[in-house]
Amino acid sequence: MKADNTTQTPQEAELARLLVDTLNLEAVASEIDPEMPLYGEGLGLDSIDMLEISLVVSQQFGVKLRADDRDNVRIFSSLRSLNAYIQSHREL
Amino acid sequence: MTQKLLVQEWAARRERGSLPLIKLGVWVALRLHRRVARLFLYPICIFFLASSPAAARGSRAYLARVLGRKPRLADIFSHFLTFASCVLDRVFLLNEQLDQFDIRVHGEEIVRAIEQRGGGCILLGAHFGSFEVARAVGRNHADLPISLLMYEENAKKIRAALAAINPRLATEVIGLGRMDSLISVAERLRQGHFIGVLADRNINGKDMVSYPFLGAPAKFPQGPFRVAMLLQCPVVMMVGVYRGGRTYDVFFETLAEAPESRPKDSDAWLDGIMRQYAARLEHHCREAPFNWFNFYDFWA
């Protein structure tokens, strides 16, 4: 299935629900624009939220997000890119 | 000289970060004996007393609470002088001149136990007394890797100032300005680092919670405590109290052991540890009132 820009794929929808539950966000998971920035402007997450995301992603998917990864800005840039990173690194 | 350092410290709004002047101040201070350099603190404090009415007001309001009486001008001067002394001593401490001081350490076994266990801890300090003296103790006694976590804007200035004071001393300062700042903290903790945070001021601009403090509610940031909870590491309070002359008392106190798992009721865990932090800070304020270095209305 090819998603258009603002439609969540099933995997993205699952990740959105995980983030909303973990961070107690007021946003409705299914309404999060997968292209919207997670950090700062956009979803309005701060560095503590980013820490929580890294912990829950490691726990749920076995994917380690590392501080020295130069791609972090890209990885965390949106729900879509975070999901893409997880999917390409997760332990099967 | 030291005056410029004082200006640097005094209030964020005044900070202009003039590194050449800091370097000059440090150069002068290190060439004078500490006792001679201290003589400069008196005119400097008189100058600030006269020229910083806002800081004097903040001092007066705090002292009235902690002393339980109307503060005299001499009290406010002592308050300023204690602050100035700690700033000056930082120059000597950062240059590893610990023999200039009589430092008494209380609770060092807490630090040793954590060091042996590995996995680091969060060291919670405050704008109270000298964080630097406590850090110097850590470096000197145990060669502990200590990183400081702070606002990005301050982190830049502090990094530059510390490098100016002693370029040989690699000080790890983690700024909060990056989205992965705290992921970096988590990694360092796993490597056994001690992460120092001053937990009496806001670190991320939100999540302030009120606790009783010296007789009235004051707001404390939840951020540092949430980080400790998420990372499940021990939380140790670290306070370096200046006693006058060349004497400091450094206190390490356990606020929480490392939780085995994420606390089920995270709000209750946070409430408990923040209440305890505020209470211990109050204790130290009552015991050494002039060491409080928040020169603004903390209860606003």
Side-chain angles (χ1 to χ4, degrees):
Chain A
M1 186 179 91
K2 182 101 174 76
D4 70 42
N5 280 347
T6 55
T7 311
Q8 297 174 358
T9 66
Q11 280 173 345
E12 286 167 359
E14 188 198 342
L15 182 60
R17 278 195 298 276
L18 181 65
L19 297 190
V20 168
D21 287 350
T22 305
L23 304 174
N24 287 320
L25 299 181
E26 282 171 18
V28 178
S30 58
E31 289 172 7
I32 293 175
D33 178 349
E35 302 270 333
M36 186 167 68
L38 298 173
Y39 179 75
E41 296 299 309
L43 208 49
L45 304 186
D46 61 21
S47 52
I48 298 184
D49 297 320
M50 292 296 152
L51 172 63
E52 285 215 66
I53 291 177
S54 78
L55 295 171
V56 76
V57 162
S58 153
Q59 204 175 55
Q60 298 277 318
F61 304 104
V63 175
K64 291 263 181 290
L65 295 158
R66 305 192 49 84
D68 54 9
D69 194 327
R70 288 202 196 140
D71 289 335
N72 275 344
V73 172
R74 189 181 53 75
I75 295 166
F76 285 109
S77 68
S78 66
L79 182 66
R80 179 150 295 157
S81 57
L82 179 62
N83 182 61
Y85 181 84
I86 293 169
Q87 297 310 327
S88 62
H89 290 79
R90 71 186 295 180
E91 295 160 3
L92 296 170
Chain B
M1 332 103 320
T2 49
Q3 179 169 343
K4 190 63 199 175
L5 268 181
L6 276 172
V7 174
Q8 282 288 314
E9 282 284 329
W10 209 264
R13 62 185 177 278
R14 280 172 181 265
E15 283 182 57
R16 292 202 180 84
S18 183
L19 276 179
L21 277 168
I22 295 183
K23 281 183 182 154
L24 176 67
V26 170
W27 190 86
V28 171
L30 289 176
R31 263 142 203 87
L32 298 174
H33 192 280
R34 177 172 173 270
R35 269 183 303 186
V36 179
R38 279 183 60 78
L39 293 177
F40 286 93
L41 299 181
Y42 292 82
I44 288 171
C45 284
I46 290 170
F47 170 78
F48 273 105
L49 208 49
S51 67
S52 307
R57 242 188 341 267
S59 164
R60 192 185 298 276
Y62 158 78
L63 289 174
R65 285 181 198 279
V66 74
L67 301 176
R69 60 169 168 80
K70 198 166 178 287
R72 291 181 283 268
L73 192 60
D75 294 320
I76 298 171
F77 182 79
S78 297
H79 194 191
F80 278 38
L81 185 62
T82 305
F83 175 69
S85 303
C86 287
V87 174
L88 174 66
D89 283 346
R90 186 187 264 185
V91 173
F92 300 107
L93 290 163
L94 279 167
N95 279 279
E96 297 155 286
Q97 298 186 13
L98 262 66
D99 50 344
Q100 297 249 34
F101 302 97
D102 178 12
I103 302 172
R104 303 177 295 206
V105 185
H106 312 265
E108 201 182 356
E109 68 281 358
I110 294 173
V111 179
R112 291 233 178 277
I114 292 168
E115 199 196 1
Q116 277 162 16
R117 209 164 42 226
C121 76
I122 300 253
L123 285 174
L124 292 183
H127 291 83
F128 181 91
S130 177
F131 204 66
E132 203 50 61
V133 77
R135 234 155 51 87
V137 165
R139 268 199 309 270
N140 195 51
H141 287 232
D143 207 16
L144 292 177
I146 301 183
S147 308
L148 292 182
L149 181 62
M150 56 184 71
Y151 280 128
E152 188 61 35
E153 203 184 315
N154 291 344
K156 285 201 188 92
K157 286 175 189 149
I158 298 269
R159 258 186 226 117
L162 292 181
I165 292 172
N166 183 356
R168 276 197 312 111
L169 202 67
T171 307
E172 297 268 13
V173 178
I174 309 172
L176 271 169
R178 291 167 38 161
M179 62 173 74
D180 53 7
S181 301
L182 290 173
I183 300 177
S184 157
V185 167
E187 287 170 4
R188 283 169 206 239
L189 278 169
R190 275 195 286 274
Q191 294 159 9
H193 278 229
F194 284 47
I195 308 285
V197 191
L198 299 183
D200 56 338
R201 290 190 199 164
N202 203 347
I203 63 166
N204 67 353
K206 60 177 196 181
D207 295 335
M208 300 294 280
V209 187
S210 283
Y211 286 96
F213 184 64
L214 294 170
K219 293 193 199 72
F220 292 87
Q222 205 182 44
F225 303 93
R226 269 183 69 202
V227 171
M229 181 182 73
L230 291 173
L231 296 175
Q232 295 172 19
C233 55
V235 184
V236 175
M237 188 156 172
M238 167 163 122
V239 170
V241 181
Y242 181 53
R243 300 292 186 193
R246 44 177 277 151
T247 307
Y248 282 89
D249 276 308
V250 176
F251 297 92
F252 294 101
E253 305 173 358
T254 305
L255 289 187
E257 302 288 352
E260 291 280 317
S261 59
R262 185 86 75 84
K264 278 201 186 64
D265 188 344
S266 54
D267 288 341
W269 190 90
L270 286 171
D271 181 64
I273 193 167
M274 289 186 73
R275 199 169 290 279
Q276 207 184 336
Y277 173 81
R280 292 310 298 164
L281 194 53
E282 172 170 325
H283 162 85
H284 287 293
C285 285
R286 291 202 188 281
E287 209 239 345
F290 298 135
N291 278 259
W292 175 255
F293 298 152
N294 289 306
F295 289 89
Y296 61 90
D297 185 1
F298 194 75
W299 290 263

